[in-house]
Amino acid sequence: MKIIQGIAFAASALVLGSLASAQDEAGLNKDYRTFHSDGSVVYGEIGDSYTSDLVMYLAGNQFMVMEELIKDFQSINSDIGTIYVETIPPGQILNGQILKQGQINDQDTAMNPDLYASVNLNHLKKLAGMDKMHDYMIYIHNKLELMVAEGNPKGIEGPEDLARGDLVQSHPNPLTEGIFRFYGSEMLKDMGLYEQVTANAECKSCWAIEGKTWFTSRHHRETPQRIGDGEADVGIVWTTEVIEAKAEGRMIDGVAIPAPLNKQDKVSYAIGALSDARNPYNAYRFLSYLGTERAQGIYASYGFVPATTEELQLKPLMTN
């Protein structure tokens, strides 16, 4: 019996180890960072969400901008010693960390970040309806693109090719990833391809269609990895993620999606301060910084579309 239990334990450890290794390889643990005013960056210190001088939970597809942006902000606000930043799907943040106690790496996360940002303004309106947020602003824009292997070996020309039966696809999940829930799914429906591509599946880290369409947990980490490993041929991502993956030396390319299918006129990033934030003064200092030319310029250098002067003004959240 002990031998059997030992074998079972070893097998379990092997599976868990493989999952952890896969997570590290995809870079998922890099989405929880603490920036220190001395320039150092520490990963995975979840407890810092309770103690940092500024805590931000942000839509995950900004992950590539954060180091340059936060270090620039701290260079002119050196009294803000520690800034904790999460860059994960905004729906996951809202429902799994702000509206109820959440855990990351078996550690509790603070339910009152100073700032919360999403690609869906309704997320912020929901908080306003609960008296948890009062003001917001739009601070950047983005658009959809297809990520493919370097050299585009499958000859993918545009989103219409998602109807092809010879492609393995990797897309953001419709449960927590706003890029697909609000934009990618709409694009597929506009083309009459949604059911064909997804089989109307509602899950994450799963096969929507076995062997054909994979739904990620965190697409900005997983889709480049899956394409690079030969596990997928194409995936819906943000244009900024194609730029970042190429900058990292990944063997990928992008295929542009024409307007209006790329949703460039609809994709807006909204941010606001929580009413029960621990560091409201620092939160509004960061909001003010986002409206500067230097902050907008940093975002633009990564492929984001800057917001207008009017959009960068704080406005009251209307709950309808």
Side-chain angles (χ1 to χ4, degrees):
M1 177 63 99
K2 290 183 178 179
I3 293 175
I4 294 174
Q5 290 176 333
I7 292 173
F9 178 81
S12 176
L14 182 62
V15 170
L16 291 174
S18 297
L19 289 172
S21 177
Q23 185 180 60
D24 289 340
E25 190 175 348
L28 301 184
N29 286 322
K30 292 184 179 179
D31 290 319
Y32 316 105
R33 286 176 279 181
T34 305
F35 296 87
H36 294 262
S37 56
D38 64 4
S40 62
V41 182
V42 179
Y43 297 91
E45 293 295 329
I46 309 305
D48 289 347
S49 64
Y50 291 94
T51 60
S52 290
D53 299 320
L54 178 60
V55 177
M56 299 189 286
Y57 295 174
L58 309 177
N61 40 71
Q62 303 163 75
F63 75 95
M64 73 289 286
V65 182
M66 286 301 108
E67 184 158 351
E68 183 175 354
L69 188 78
I70 299 303
K71 287 184 175 180
D72 184 65
F73 174 70
Q74 284 183 307
S75 74
I76 53 178
N77 296 276
S78 58
D79 60 304
I80 302 179
T82 53
I83 300 178
Y84 177 83
V85 181
E86 285 188 9
T87 46
I88 64 176
Q92 183 177 327
I93 294 171
L94 177 66
N95 296 313
Q97 293 181 244
I98 296 177
L99 299 183
K100 72 175 183 180
Q101 180 63 64
Q103 284 196 330
I104 296 168
N105 298 340
D106 297 321
Q107 300 174 67
D108 285 354
T109 59
M111 296 174 66
N112 60 332
D114 300 310
L115 292 168
Y116 168 65
S118 175
V119 292
N120 179 20
L121 184 57
N122 286 328
H123 284 161
L124 278 67
K125 288 182 176 180
K126 184 171 185 177
L127 291 174
M130 302 172 71
D131 200 33
K132 289 181 176 292
M133 185 177 287
H134 302 132
D135 303 303
Y136 81 102
M137 71 182 192
I138 302 298
Y139 63 106
I140 46 167
H141 301 276
N142 213 335
K143 57 187 177 182
L144 300 177
E145 189 163 333
L146 296 180
M147 182 177 286
V148 299
E150 187 175 49
N152 195 7
K154 294 287 187 174
I156 296 166
E157 298 181 354
E160 300 84 3
D161 284 337
L162 297 178
R164 287 167 45 181
D166 64 322
L167 301 178
V168 179
Q169 306 184 31
S170 174
H171 299 311
N173 80 75
L175 299 179
T176 62
E177 300 202 270
I179 177 177
F180 195 82
R181 183 174 176 84
F182 306 109
Y183 304 110
S185 61
E186 183 178 274
M187 180 188 78
L188 291 174
K189 289 173 183 176
D190 290 345
M191 296 187 296
L193 296 179
Y194 185 79
E195 185 171 0
Q196 181 178 343
V197 171
T198 72
N200 295 320
E202 295 281 334
C203 60
K204 64 178 183 177
S205 295
C206 65
W207 284 108
I209 300 176
E210 186 66 31
K212 286 295 182 182
T213 300
W214 176 261
F215 274 157
T216 65
S217 176
R218 210 165 304 163
H219 79 281
H220 66 267
R221 299 290 183 186
E222 294 170 60
T223 292
Q225 189 71 40
R226 294 182 71 83
I227 291 175
D229 290 344
E231 296 177 350
D233 301 310
V234 62
I236 295 171
V237 298
W238 299 113
T239 290
T240 48
E241 290 158 359
V242 173
I243 294 172
E244 173 63 13
K246 290 178 72 69
E248 289 180 342
R250 291 184 180 270
M251 308 297 280
I252 64 92
D253 273 323
V255 174
I257 297 174
L261 288 175
N262 63 13
K263 306 302 172 183
Q264 65 182 31
D265 296 328
K266 292 188 174 184
V267 181
S268 299
Y269 291 63
I271 190 169
L274 275 290
S275 56
D276 59 349
R278 288 190 309 105
N279 306 292
Y281 176 59
N282 291 344
Y284 281 100
R285 288 164 75 183
F286 188 78
L287 291 176
S288 178
Y289 166 76
L290 283 177
T292 65
E293 288 187 11
R294 59 196 294 166
Q296 290 291 299
I298 289 172
Y299 271 107
S301 71
Y302 288 87
F304 288 91
V305 178
T308 66
T309 300
E310 182 180 356
E311 287 173 326
L312 289 166
Q313 303 300 312
L314 280 174
K315 305 173 185 65
L317 271 166
M318 309 302 291
T319 59
N320 299 327

